[in-house]
Amino acid sequence: MTAPRLPREVNRAFDALPAPIGKRLLQVRELIFATAAAHDGVGNLTETLKWGEPAYLTDETGSGSTIRLGRLKDSDQAAILFNCKTTLVDTFRERFPDRFEYRQTRALLLPVAGKLPERELAVCLSLALTYHLDRRGKKAR
């Protein structure tokens, strides 16, 4: 499955980024949609802007935590941002301590050059897209 057409305002947000970061984050966008499609419980994603950045929400099912794409002011890397009140970035850090650079509990950073680490990144995106499903399952036990 390929990602749907970019909504106009989201496309503008990607265009406003430095070209290498925008290009890398468009690759991440494709992976977000592919990862969501691979999970029955995720449903259709809502693609919108949050704080002026492309954001992906599981509004249909409430299965996951919002994923935002952008950059951090002090970095020339692409940033995938997560809700800092979740345990997601800590979980990514435990699973892939040397694969990505992280910022506190809110961001996973990606270099703009080189091959996208799709397998590892898909695991992280899957954890974010199913965050509430996983938590509901733990509470039910």
Side-chain angles (χ1 to χ4, degrees):
M1 176 207 159
T2 57
R5 264 179 62 125
L6 272 164
R8 184 178 295 128
E9 69 279 5
V10 175
N11 192 35
R12 280 204 282 278
F14 277 111
D15 286 346
L17 292 164
I21 291 176
K23 183 178 178 201
R24 175 56 43 134
L25 291 176
L26 284 169
Q27 294 173 324
V28 173
R29 176 186 182 266
E30 288 283 333
L31 192 56
I32 289 169
F33 279 99
T35 303
H39 284 281
D40 292 337
V42 172
N44 292 320
L45 296 180
T46 300
E47 183 173 26
T48 188
L49 293 179
K50 294 271 185 197
W51 300 283
E53 296 173 322
Y56 303 86
L57 293 76
T58 57
D59 283 342
E60 185 176 82
T61 62
S63 68
S65 183
T66 299
I67 300 169
R68 276 188 304 127
L69 303 179
R71 68 185 288 208
L72 301 179
K73 287 179 180 60
D74 62 346
S75 173
D76 54 3
Q77 297 186 76
I80 307 172
L81 301 133
F82 302 91
N83 182 327
C84 62
K85 291 181 172 46
T86 68
T87 57
L88 285 165
V89 174
D90 288 335
T91 301
F92 306 158
R93 197 180 273 117
E94 284 172 21
R95 289 217 179 169
F96 306 110
D98 303 320
R99 192 64 182 112
F100 302 108
E101 186 180 327
Y102 305 97
R103 288 293 166 85
Q104 291 85 35
T105 57
R106 62 183 289 250
L108 181 157
L109 302 180
L110 292 171
V112 295
K115 188 176 181 329
L116 188 70
E118 286 189 28
R119 188 182 56 77
E120 297 93 336
L121 193 52
V123 170
C124 296
L125 295 173
S126 176
L127 289 166
L129 292 167
T130 60
Y131 183 74
H132 295 298
L133 291 180
D134 292 344
R135 295 182 68 76
R136 283 182 211 139
K138 286 177 184 154
K139 286 178 186 167
R141 287 186 194 134

